[in-house]
């Protein structure tokens, strides 16, 4: 998995997101041939963004790693559906104009506790 530039900080990601990175990478590489994180525990986001607590990453959605041309909405939708299937219901996948946002967002306190227990 590549980082878009030296400002992308994955060191601040929580363990649950670190565990998800290999899955995210595989889905992206299988579908578009590369996986590039454009933002993680860095940059400016919405007020209550999960990026600020290390629970989200943004993934590049260009047709090729260097093209600068976005995938079509249809192809992004297919990619997002593949991510949802691979990561499960604890992850929130949002298709944006310039990237796909992947965040850990458990559906319950119990689900969050179980994820933490699996890590210990």
């Amino acid at each position: 998995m590549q980082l878009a530039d030296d400002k992308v900080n994955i060191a601040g990601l929580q363990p649950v997101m670190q565990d998800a990175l290999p899955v995210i990478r595989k889905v992206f590489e299988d579908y578009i041939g590369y996986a590039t994180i454009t933002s993680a525990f860095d940059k400016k986001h919405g007020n209550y963004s999960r990026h600020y607590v290390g629970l989200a990453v943004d993934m590049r959605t260009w047709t090729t790693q260097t093209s600068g041309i976005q995938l079509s909405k249809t192809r992004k939708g297919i990619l997002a559906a593949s991510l949802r299937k691979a990561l499960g219901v604890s992850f929130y996948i949002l298709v944006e104009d310039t990237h796909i946002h992947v965040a850990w967002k458990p559906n319950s306190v119990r689900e969050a506790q179980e994820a933490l227990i699996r890590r210990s």
Side-chain angles (χ1 to χ4, degrees):
M1 175 134 13
Q2 294 190 326
L3 305 180
D5 56 48
D6 60 357
K7 294 176 184 143
V8 176
N9 177 9
I10 61 171
L13 289 177
Q14 296 294 328
V16 70
M17 285 305 295
Q18 293 173 7
D19 290 347
L21 289 179
V23 176
I24 295 167
R25 178 184 185 169
K26 179 164 180 21
V27 170
F28 268 80
E29 287 180 350
D30 286 352
Y31 191 69
I32 59 174
Y34 71 94
T36 300
I37 298 173
T38 59
S39 183
F41 193 71
D42 52 75
K43 301 182 184 171
K44 185 170 169 73
H45 302 279
N47 286 340
Y48 302 104
S49 174
R50 293 181 181 275
H51 284 280
Y52 296 128
V53 292
L55 292 173
V57 295
D58 291 337
M59 300 297 298
R60 176 167 288 156
T61 53
W62 293 351
T63 55
T64 68
Q65 194 166 358
T66 57
S67 72
I69 300 168
Q70 288 293 322
L71 294 170
S72 68
K73 284 186 179 186
T74 301
R75 289 192 67 203
K76 283 184 193 177
I78 293 167
L79 183 52
S82 296
L83 282 169
R84 285 183 192 101
K85 183 176 180 181
L87 292 169
V89 296
S90 297
F91 286 83
Y92 174 68
I93 313 298
L94 178 64
V95 177
E96 301 275 9
D97 289 340
T98 60
H99 62 278
I100 290 180
H101 173 81
V102 181
W104 187 62
K105 191 174 182 180
N107 294 311
S108 67
V109 171
R110 181 177 180 188
E111 193 175 333
Q113 290 171 330
E114 288 172 356
L116 295 173
I117 289 168
R118 282 193 303 271
R119 272 299 283 188
S120 55

